[in-house]
Amino acid sequence: MAFLIHLLVCTFGMGSWVAINGLWVELPLLVTELPEGWYLPSYLTVIIQLANIGPLLVTLLHHFQPGCLSEVPIIFTVLGVGTIACTLFAFLWNVTSWVLGSHHSIAFLVLTFFLALVDCTSSVTFLPFMSRLPTHYLTTFFVGEGLSGLLPALVALAQGSGLTTCANITETSDTTPIPETTRNMDSPQGASSTLVSELARTAPSVVHLESHYLPANFSPLVFFLLLSFMMACCLIAFFFLQRQPRRWEASIEDLLTSQVTLHSIRPQEGKDLGPPGPEDSGKGQEPLEEKTAPRHLAHLTFIYILVAFVNALTNGVLPSVQTYSCLSYGPVAYHLSATLSSMANPLACFLSMFLPNRSLPFLGVLTALGTGFGAYNMAMAVMSPCPLMQGHWGGEVLIVASWVLFIGCLSYVKVMLGVILRDRSRSALLWCGAAVQLGSLLGALIMFPLVNVLRLFSSADFCSLQCST
């Protein structure tokens, strides 16, 4: 029975971000078909942040009118809307409308908003619901949340999303381009559609490289139907979870009782076993309360700041520059970093089951270590298209390892912070979800102007890089 509950919780956690993660990994195919082209990621970033109105409303209602909202009907609504939206995506993703003098993917953008509303709201509803279960199930929930990024990435890999071929094209003054030879490269389609490398020849002809998109193994329709199936599995898993007997509530009561007992014992430490007098009890408890209240407040503040910071890095700052940091090292390095970092998330959550460590100093050090790997990734993105050790196998190994360790370290920190807050109260988990969304929002708002307005990052022409060694 315990294994079944773990399976249901993992499937339930998978539905938290599987829809939006699926959209991101499908972008290389979508941008070639939709009129927005490579401006589409910018639109998605803005729409996803607008959807934070969902968790904002839930958090405000919980704060000003506690008890007025129940997670169960909200989660049913959220998962139902997500399943329907993914199904509609399968049939409406390429439907365009004539707006303001040009074609726009209005249906796609509207459905994206509803999917983002579903996933953002899950942060402040799924976690409070998990407070009904024993603590060890929360780790399983985070494993499922990690799978919400891994499974769509594996499906996109099987689909062939983001693969191109580099062809040698010969151009002459009086003929059309003639392809001479073709060499396949598993290159993401996020790069420029035409990559030119002019080669001097004695004849009046020019040979250059152009990227040609490889056909996908199956269409976006099939991909979005698979996403809707994943959302439906999450809905079914939640249906069975919330129908389980409420025997978990006893564990919460036992936890609260044990905490009260521990607080009642602590003042007596270091004293004789005799019954304390009124003067002793009055003198012993007041200084304790004065000392522990600020300490607990400082610990909570540190935890929430850490939650927001970690999610700002993993959900907002670094994902927006992953292509810039990896493409310069070649398509193999890019695909390995994307796939293995997606695997590092659930593996780190799984590791926390067997090697838990709730020490805040340890989590702070691990956060600093993960931030260091993130700083290396950011530095390579800034140096694109000619980062350190470009063209050397050591550079490829370093960038892949850095991305895996960055995701792995910070995923472990996120799980342990969630476990710590779960042991405090249901309200602490709700505010944890709010901190997750706040951090993700700030990270995206910081990076959006840097990438799309100031254009501080340069994409790599992976078919013909010419960097000085």
Side-chain angles (χ1 to χ4, degrees), residues 216-365:
N217 296 325
F218 51 86
S219 67
L221 183 145
V222 177
F223 181 86
F224 286 121
L225 287 179
L226 289 174
L227 277 188
S228 64
F229 173 74
M230 294 180 194
M231 290 296 298
C233 290
C234 176
L235 179 60
I236 295 171
F238 177 70
F239 174 78
F240 286 108
L241 273 179
Q242 59 89 30
R243 288 179 62 88
Q244 293 296 316
R246 298 295 187 88
R247 62 178 180 273
W248 299 310
E249 291 182 354
S251 64
I252 299 176
E253 294 174 1
D254 293 341
L255 176 64
L256 295 176
T257 303
S258 63
Q259 289 177 345
V260 171
T261 304
L262 287 174
H263 281 296
S264 65
I265 292 175
R266 282 175 186 164
Q268 309 304 325
E269 292 179 357
K271 291 192 177 186
D272 296 332
L273 297 178
E279 296 179 358
D280 294 336
S281 61
K283 292 179 181 179
Q285 292 180 2
E286 290 179 3
L288 178 70
E289 293 177 357
E290 292 176 358
K291 292 179 181 179
T292 57
R295 181 167 59 87
H296 289 169
L297 180 61
H299 282 184
L300 271 181
T301 303
F302 176 74
I303 289 173
Y304 284 126
I305 291 176
L306 211 56
V307 169
F309 176 75
V310 167
N311 282 276
L313 293 182
T314 57
N315 299 340
V317 176
L318 270 300
S320 60
V321 298
Q322 185 171 19
T323 54
Y324 297 105
S325 67
C326 299
L327 275 181
S328 301
Y329 295 100
V332 175
Y334 174 80
H335 284 296
L336 284 177
S337 64
T339 304
L340 294 181
S341 61
S342 297
M343 295 176 62
N345 191 335
L347 288 178
C349 299
F350 191 73
L351 180 66
S352 65
M353 289 184 178
F354 304 99
L355 298 173
N357 191 329
R358 304 190 186 191
S359 170
L360 290 182
F362 171 78
L363 296 179
V365 171

